[in-house]
Amino acid sequence: MRGMIGAPLLALLLAACAPGEADGPVGYRVRSRDGGRRGPVARAVKGVPSVSVAARAFIVIPAADPVASQPPARWAAAELCDALAARGVAAAIAEEMAAVPPGAPCVVAAGRGSAAAREVLGATGVAVADTPEALGLVPGTLAGRKVALACGSDARGLAYALLELADRVACEAQPLRALEIDRPVIERPANAIRSVTRYFSSDAWDKPWLYDRGFWRRYLTTLATHRFNRFSLATGLGYNAARQVRDAYLFFAYPFLVSVPGYDVRVPGLPDAERARNLEALRFISEEAARRGLHFQLALWFHGYEWEESPEANYVVEGLAPETHAAYCRDALRTVLQACPAIRGVTFRIHSESGVPDDSHGFWKTLFDGIAQCGRRVEIDMHAKQISQELIRVALATGMPVVVSPKYSAEHMGLPYQEASIRPSDGSLRYSFGNLLTEGRRYGILYRIWPGTQRLLLWGDPAMAAGYARASGFCGSQGLEISDPLSFRGRMGSAIPGDRDLYADVSLRPAGGDWEKHHYSYRIWGRLLYNPDADPETWRRYLRKEFGPATAPAEAALASASRVLPLITTAHLAAASNNGYWPEIYTNMPIVDETRRHPFGDNPPPRTFDRVSPLDPALFSSMDDFAAELLGGQASGRYTPLDVARWLDDFAEAASRHLTEAEARAAKPASPEFRRWALDVTIQAGLGRFFAGKLRAGVAQALYRRTGNPAALDPGLIAYRDARAAWAAFAERARGAYAADLTFGRTPHLRGHWTDRLPGIDADLGDMEKERAEARPAPDAPPIPAFPGEAPRVACRHVPPASFRRGEPVSLSLELPAAEAGRLTVEVRYRPVNQGVRAYRTLAMAGEGRRLHATLPAAETDTPFPLQYFFVLRDSPRRAWIYPGFGPELTNQPYYVVRQQGRAREDSR
């Protein structure tokens, strides 16, 4: 058949396949998804009727197209063939339309600038943006034939278009129907970086996946399919410091990877063959990532070489001294980069937890020279915690691209917005963007969600994921890196005999490994980080395949449940460190007796539950602060613990209601997939009810402490008993399903099971009951004021300034509804977008009638940072609220940002 794939293009396409896979009825054989070989494409799937050896679908790749000939596009074309084969449809690749039989389904894969793409796009009147990674799926005609045009602005964009078709083929009931494009799909990325990091934390549990090539092919394909464009493999985070080390495998990574000429650095007990195997694994993973269009990042979080107080360490490093340390690291890094040319960037932790003392700029300058000497462009990513501008200048001096990566919400996952403030105990840089967001900066900003809040339960809320996507571009930032589900499993030498699977009930274990439980999470995160306005069909087709008629309620149940833990994290941060606070399997913090054992030490004393600070104290009040405001009769406008409890109850109720509906509709309620989904929704809904009740109990305790009125405790005891009952119910449901010891660290609060936490809850509840039984009213104990109701939603109108000039006044106006004119007072709270500035300035707004005005003084705008502000509306001394504040789903930015003139406008989202 004239025009079937010619020799040059055939060679390129076969490079996307494993050796020896080129034969079959149309000269092309695809890989199976586990990286193995598969028979002729027409016999790909057991149980699917075979088709004629004549191709039933064609992919036309114009031979001269410079975009379609690149490796990611070639690989994606192979994936589309693979997906069709898996559904019993043979596929062929051709160079021109003349090779396609009349009436055969046809996909044309091309760059946006190719003649074929220009013809289809021009006829339909749509355009694919000339920006990186943009894509189009457009119906049209070429040479008188109906075609589906898959095109991209570059190889990644084209790969995403082809992978979108492959995903449709895999999920839809009629695979050939999936190749028909009903309406144009034109997309472009909202975030330049969309990354996943996977941590090597355990010699026993992580080496199996490190060496498993089939796993890597499946895993990296999943990331690319869902439009992540970056993957980071992280070492050196097994411990926060080199003290009491047991499992040191790859902790200081270089000597586990390479032998560096001129240095006698070694790891006793590590065979040379194993070291070579580790390097080969790194080379393979990075090359497989590159083949899929993924930027591969090597994260080297630790650069110390001595372990303190570590008699049980399984490995030590010998042959280094202070005078050779920096030079060895430089040369070792250069050696690794030259041995693995697909590594595109390196991430460093650059503060003292890296094993290198703070302000060691000389060490880092020497180390960065290893990147400068490697012979290609390699990104330097510096994890920001106490980072100095001097060190940033050192990195920039290499001439390499530089990214600074702060934590998103401390070492946790809070609500999807950049917090309006950070609590004083956490420092200006440790747990947020700090002072990094100056206008005109020469470095990129990448936020990193740390694996503290949620590690093992299924997460998937499209609305929240879209919120994180929008927040990741905050003030010109580049994007977001999420931590892989199950991060830190077996950390700090906590692996126990057996595999690392979460489930005691073996029927719940995913067939392809524990990571496959989280397919939906990868889909939600990747698709919405790419496009926060993505068509819901991109995740619902997967749910239809899994759950059939239960799709809608299953989606809604998990979405509601997934809001619980981020809300708890933002409103009640018992510890900023992931090593102290794990709300997913929460260790009880006492309400009454602070001497009871608990791990929460980074709040000011006395350390009881009711005195814990929120992550964002500008927008949320603690229980103790709320009690003070209530008794003082002057509301601050911040969200109260009772607001949070109400939201938690709402999310838990919605999750349970939708789950009940899903269970009634599910075609296969006994399937492992549905049972895993239902169990995790149940647990998260139960956590919502528990924390809602405990927050109410904490408010009661705070009021009692301040008034001495025992009556304050009565509603708190009722709420705490309800909370305890909620915990006991879901913990019992999890018993026997999840492993009895879910280890993410050695200390008791980083391992165990939900059932283990009940004794601590019971002890604290008993203390509160005893306190009430023994309490006597203080002589002048005041009555407990009535709690304010939920703040009204007043439909104001405000248009933020498009920009401002540094050192010039900024005028703001707010228009109230006619019914509220003269009844409400309004103030504006503002500051630079700089977490080092603790306090917000306040200005009263003035005006006549509905329209109010305020002007930020010129002195307050003389700053290198953007400005952020919000309004506080008040209808009485006891009731105030924030505008714009949060919407019902808590997924928007609750304040406004204005960039300096010449910078992109940032609206409240």
Side-chain angles (χ1 to χ4, degrees):
M1 191 179 291
R2 187 175 66 86
M4 290 297 286
I5 191 163
L9 186 57
L10 176 62
L12 290 172
L13 280 164
L14 292 184
C17 303
E21 292 178 351
D23 61 10
V26 292
Y28 177 69
R29 182 180 296 189
V30 296
R31 294 168 294 101
S32 62
R33 292 196 179 274
D34 65 358
R37 298 183 184 179
R38 178 178 284 170
V41 292
R43 302 192 302 273
V45 180
K46 182 179 179 181
V48 175
S50 62
V51 298
S52 167
V53 294
R56 291 187 57 194
F58 283 77
I59 302 171
V60 175
I61 305 178
D65 190 320
V67 172
S69 64
Q70 293 184 42
R74 301 196 308 265
W75 169 81
E79 285 297 302
L80 178 53
C81 289
D82 193 13
L84 287 162
R87 299 299 306 278
V89 178
I93 294 176
E95 290 181 331
E96 58 187 47
M97 289 299 299
V100 180
C106 180
V107 175
V108 175
R112 65 180 290 275
S114 68
R118 290 198 307 270
E119 181 176 341
V120 174
L121 294 173
T124 54
V126 297
V128 173
D130 188 16
T131 57
E133 302 179 30
L135 69 87
L137 287 172
V138 183
T141 58
L142 275 176
R145 311 273 183 83
K146 288 180 62 176
V147 300
L149 172 68
C151 67
S153 60
D154 53 20
R156 272 188 189 153
L158 176 53
Y160 294 155
L162 291 166
L163 292 170
E164 170 68 10
L165 291 176
D167 189 59
R168 294 183 182 194
V169 167
C171 293
E172 294 296 342
Q174 300 179 25
L176 287 177
R177 175 67 181 86
L179 299 182
E180 299 175 13
I181 309 300
D182 296 325
R183 54 185 174 79
V185 176
I186 304 295
E187 295 184 85
R188 59 191 295 180
N191 291 289
I193 301 176
R194 308 174 302 280
S195 183
V196 176
T197 186
R198 189 174 180 92
Y199 302 98
F200 186 101
S201 302
S202 169
D203 184 353
W205 282 351
D206 292 348
K207 279 167 74 173
W209 57 253
L210 180 67
Y211 299 142
D212 185 345
R213 294 191 168 198
F215 156 74
W216 283 112
R217 290 187 179 104
R218 298 191 306 273
Y219 176 78
L220 296 171
T221 294
T222 295
L223 300 189
T225 296
H226 300 310
R227 304 184 193 172
F228 289 102
N229 64 355
R230 179 175 176 134
F231 171 69
S232 173
L233 180 62
T235 69
L237 266 173
Y239 299 83
N240 297 327
R243 184 175 293 108
Q244 298 179 356
V245 173
R246 292 183 182 178
D247 183 353
Y249 203 89
L250 285 175
F251 188 37
F252 178 49
Y254 300 126
F256 289 86
L257 296 170
V258 291
S259 175
V260 184
Y263 302 88
D264 185 23
V265 178
R266 60 204 171 278
V267 178
L270 180 74
D272 291 350
E274 185 170 339
R275 185 183 62 219
R277 186 184 187 193
N278 291 339
L279 183 64
E280 179 54 34
L282 178 61
R283 183 186 297 114
F284 172 81
I285 297 162
S286 60
E287 289 175 353
E288 286 295 304
R291 199 152 68 91
R292 290 158 173 77
L294 289 161
H295 168 117
F296 181 86
Q297 192 85 1
L298 176 62
L300 301 168
W301 287 81
F302 191 76
H303 277 82
Y305 59 91
E306 294 180 318
W307 328 143
E308 300 175 13
E309 304 169 23
S310 305
E312 299 179 58
N314 56 352
Y315 292 98
V316 297
V317 175
E318 295 181 351
L320 272 177
E323 57 271 18
T324 60
H325 181 207
Y328 166 78
C329 291
R330 174 200 61 209
D331 295 344
L333 177 58
R334 184 184 63 243
T335 301
V336 170
L337 293 175
Q338 290 174 340
C340 302
I343 295 175
R344 298 279 304 281
V346 185
T347 297
F348 303 98
R349 177 166 54 180
I350 47 77
H351 56 87
S352 60
E353 291 177 8
S354 68
V356 178
D358 288 333
D359 301 321
S360 298
H361 297 147
F363 173 88
W364 296 110
K365 182 179 186 304
T366 299
L367 179 63
F368 294 163
D369 284 344
I371 293 179
Q373 297 167 7
C374 78
R376 66 180 186 278
R377 185 177 173 87
V378 174
E379 177 191 286
I380 297 173
D381 170 21
M382 296 182 290
H383 173 65
K385 184 177 177 181
Q386 302 169 348
I387 191 171
S388 68
Q389 290 297 316
E390 181 181 349
L391 185 53
I392 293 174
R393 286 192 289 271
V394 168
L396 289 168
T398 64
M400 299 293 170
V402 174
V403 168
V404 179
S405 48
K407 295 170 182 173
Y408 180 79
S409 347
E411 292 183 358
H412 298 281
M413 187 171 88
L415 292 174
Y417 74 102
Q418 299 293 343
E419 55 258 37
S421 65
I422 57 174
R423 59 193 198 175
S425 61
D426 290 341
S428 64
L429 279 174
R430 288 167 58 85
Y431 295 127
S432 183
F433 53 75
N435 61 357
L436 293 169
L437 295 180
T438 53
E439 301 282 27
R441 58 189 177 270
R442 295 170 56 205
Y443 50 86
I445 296 288
L446 170 67
Y447 299 103
R448 181 173 289 112
I449 293 182
W450 213 251
T453 295
Q454 194 157 345
R455 295 169 178 165
L456 58 95
L457 297 175
L458 187 63
W459 189 91
D461 177 18
M464 272 203 169
Y468 291 114
R470 296 184 176 102
S472 299
F474 186 68
C475 293
S477 300
Q478 274 59 55
L480 182 69
E481 181 170 276
I482 66 168
S483 296
D484 206 51
L486 307 181
S487 288
F488 293 168
R489 186 86 167 101
R491 190 171 184 243
M492 301 180 186
S494 65
I496 55 181
D499 60 33
R500 75 171 205 161
D501 203 288
L502 301 168
Y503 291 105
D505 182 347
V506 296
S507 70
L508 289 172
R509 297 183 178 185
D514 52 16
W515 73 280
E516 290 194 342
K517 163 182 172 173
H518 299 278
H519 270 308
Y520 185 69
S521 299
Y522 294 116
R523 179 180 293 264
I524 290 293
W525 274 116
R527 297 296 183 124
L528 288 158
L529 282 173
Y530 178 89
N531 178 9
D533 298 312
D535 187 341
E537 177 61 19
T538 60
W539 58 86
R540 288 176 181 163
R541 59 175 173 252
Y542 169 82
L543 294 179
R544 280 197 305 271
K545 185 182 75 167
E546 295 292 324
F547 303 136
T551 289
E555 176 189 346
L558 184 61
S560 295
S562 295
R563 295 169 191 163
V564 166
L565 288 170
L567 172 57
I568 292 166
T569 298
T570 298
H572 179 83
L573 195 68
S577 170
N578 77 94
N579 298 305
Y581 187 34
W582 184 16
E584 189 177 42
I585 304 185
Y586 172 67
T587 295
N588 198 65
M589 187 177 192
I591 289 178
V592 178
D593 182 2
E594 70 167 322
T595 66
R596 288 198 177 275
R597 184 176 178 180
H598 65 80
F600 309 115
D602 66 349
N603 278 270
R607 295 186 175 96
T608 52
F609 181 82
D610 55 304
R611 290 185 170 94
V612 168
S613 167
L615 172 67
D616 185 348
L619 300 186
F620 289 84
S621 65
S622 69
M623 287 158 272
D624 189 55
D625 287 345
F626 171 63
E629 291 179 15
L630 186 66
L631 294 169
Q634 189 68 30
S636 67
R638 294 181 295 175
Y639 293 106
T640 74
L642 298 185
D643 292 326
V644 175
R646 183 168 51 249
W647 289 332
L648 289 170
D649 274 339
D650 288 346
F651 294 150
E653 189 280 329
S656 296
R657 172 168 40 87
H658 290 304
L659 180 59
T660 298
E661 183 182 355
E663 289 170 333
R665 290 192 188 182
K668 298 179 180 179
S671 70
E673 293 78 13
F674 187 83
R675 289 165 57 215
R676 289 194 298 263
W677 192 283
L679 178 59
D680 285 7
V681 168
T682 298
I683 292 171
Q684 290 174 84
L687 286 166
R689 293 187 180 95
F690 169 80
F691 278 104
K694 193 169 182 188
L695 286 171
R696 293 185 177 104
V699 168
Q701 182 70 24
L703 288 168
Y704 172 64
R705 289 190 209 278
R706 287 183 172 272
T707 65
N709 186 341
L713 294 173
D714 293 336
L717 279 168
I718 293 171
Y720 207 174
R721 290 174 186 133
D722 288 345
R724 193 269 180 202
W727 187 285
F730 77 73
E732 186 60 31
R733 177 81 179 268
R735 188 196 301 271
Y738 277 102
D741 190 4
L742 295 162
T743 60
F744 290 82
R746 290 208 307 265
T747 53
H749 64 277
L750 291 175
R751 65 189 307 165
H753 191 275
W754 294 274
T755 54
D756 301 342
R757 289 3 184 202
L758 274 170
I761 297 169
D762 287 340
D764 190 35
L765 177 56
D767 288 342
M768 196 172 186
E769 290 172 333
K770 180 181 178 183
E771 179 182 53
R772 177 64 182 95
E774 296 176 353
R776 298 294 180 267
D780 299 318
I784 305 302
F787 294 147
E790 186 175 3
R793 293 192 179 274
V794 177
C796 302
R797 184 174 184 273
H798 171 67
V799 178
S803 62
F804 74 97
R805 289 181 180 273
R806 182 173 178 174
E808 294 185 7
V810 174
S811 296
L812 303 176
S813 64
L814 183 73
E815 187 174 298
L816 300 173
E820 305 296 341
R823 194 180 75 83
L824 300 179
T825 61
V826 182
E827 65 186 31
V828 59
R829 297 178 186 171
Y830 65 96
R831 71 165 194 182
V833 181
N834 176 6
Q835 299 289 22
V837 177
R838 298 291 185 190
Y840 276 72
R841 301 275 188 172
T842 300
L843 279 177
M845 301 195 78
E848 296 182 0
R850 299 169 57 186
R851 195 170 179 83
L852 305 178
H853 306 272
T855 300
L856 310 188
E860 302 292 342
T861 72
D862 189 9
T863 172
F865 300 95
L867 297 174
Q868 63 185 131
Y869 63 94
F870 56 89
F871 303 99
V872 176
L873 284 63
R874 187 181 304 276
D875 62 6
S876 72
R878 292 175 54 81
R879 191 167 73 163
W881 61 95
I882 291 168
Y883 183 86
F886 290 111
E889 295 178 325
L890 312 185
T891 59
N892 63 299
Q893 180 176 285
Y895 51 79
Y896 297 97
V897 171
V898 183
R899 304 286 301 277
Q900 293 190 20
Q901 194 169 61
R903 309 297 174 187
R905 176 178 173 177
E906 292 283 322
D907 292 327
S908 174
R909 292 175 284 188

